[in-house]
Amino acid sequence: MATTKLEMDILSILCEDARISAEKIAAMLNADEEQVRACISKLEDENVIIKYRTLVDWEKVDDDKVEAWIEVRVSPQKNEGFDAIAERITGYPEVRSVYLMSGGYDLMVRIEGNNLKNVAMFVARHLSTIDGVISTATHFLLKSYKRDGVVLVDKKGDKRQAVTLWRKG
């Protein structure tokens, strides 16, 4: 599908703010509002726009979920390459994303669990037992500083603790 400049501009704006109205997009692009609405509808119909998302800073919410990134080395399947294994991995509800990568491993899998043990058990019982999976390396997310282009760290004020030197006598 050939994407027009207007469609690309609309996509860029919606990626920054999915709640922005067609009226505001039209004003930003000096375009006709109905044309913008028609472009958005076409992009949705063609599954270019798949879903609208909200970016949440989960550290500000009382949520104990654990996020992990798992490097997976696999042996590609005959006539299917990496797709068959990736498709199988995507079927698990814990799996949030699966990417084919270049480098030292083949797939990057992002999962969410209720705790570290849930994630470890998922890797041990499900992911590592899939035919064709050679090895896994799990990395737990400790803190997000920037996500999807948005800085999450509150820069208001210096939050370092004051250090006082105390000398006897």
Side-chain angles (χ1 to χ4, degrees), residues 84-152:
I85 295 172
E87 187 175 324
R88 181 149 179 220
I89 293 170
T90 62
Y92 291 101
E94 300 90 340
V95 174
R96 304 301 296 161
S97 305
V98 178
Y99 305 98
L100 179 63
M101 307 294 287
S102 65
Y105 55 94
D106 305 302
L107 299 174
M108 176 63 80
V109 178
R110 184 176 71 86
I111 72 168
E112 289 180 356
N114 291 326
N115 55 50
L116 296 174
K117 185 175 181 180
N118 285 146
V119 172
M121 290 294 95
F122 171 79
V123 173
R125 292 183 180 154
H126 300 290
L127 195 57
S128 64
T129 62
I130 295 173
D131 284 340
V133 170
I134 298 168
S135 66
T136 64
T138 303
H139 307 274
F140 289 98
L141 176 69
L142 302 178
K143 181 176 182 173
S144 293
Y145 294 95
K146 186 175 184 178
R147 185 168 236 159
D148 296 332
V150 178
V151 175
L152 301 175

Side-chain angles (χ1 to χ4, degrees), residues 8-113:
M8 289 300 291
D9 291 343
I10 290 169
L11 289 170
S12 294
I13 291 169
L14 288 173
C15 282
E16 290 299 316
D17 182 1
R19 294 183 64 191
I20 194 166
S21 68
E23 177 184 10
K24 287 184 180 180
I25 293 172
M28 292 169 71
L29 299 176
N30 197 24
D32 178 67
E33 183 179 341
E34 286 308 311
Q35 184 182 15
V36 168
R37 286 184 197 284
C39 281
I40 292 171
S41 180
K42 176 183 174 233
L43 292 166
E44 290 170 342
D45 291 344
E46 294 175 351
N47 285 327
V48 173
I49 297 175
I50 299 168
K51 185 176 184 176
Y52 295 92
R53 304 225 20 204
T54 300
L55 179 63
V56 176
D57 185 351
W58 289 106
E59 290 185 23
K60 294 181 180 175
V61 178
D62 189 19
D63 183 20
D64 292 331
K65 288 199 184 296
V66 174
E67 183 176 330
W69 293 81
I70 305 162
E71 300 172 1
V72 183
R73 289 188 61 228
V74 302
S75 177
Q77 303 296 300
K78 186 175 182 174
N79 299 324
E80 297 190 28
F82 298 100
D83 294 345
I85 295 172
E87 187 175 324
R88 181 149 179 220
I89 293 170
T90 62
Y92 291 101
E94 300 90 340
V95 174
R96 304 301 296 161
S97 305
V98 178
Y99 305 98
L100 179 63
M101 307 294 287
S102 65
Y105 55 94
D106 305 302
L107 299 174
M108 176 63 80
V109 178
R110 184 176 71 86
I111 72 168
E112 289 180 356

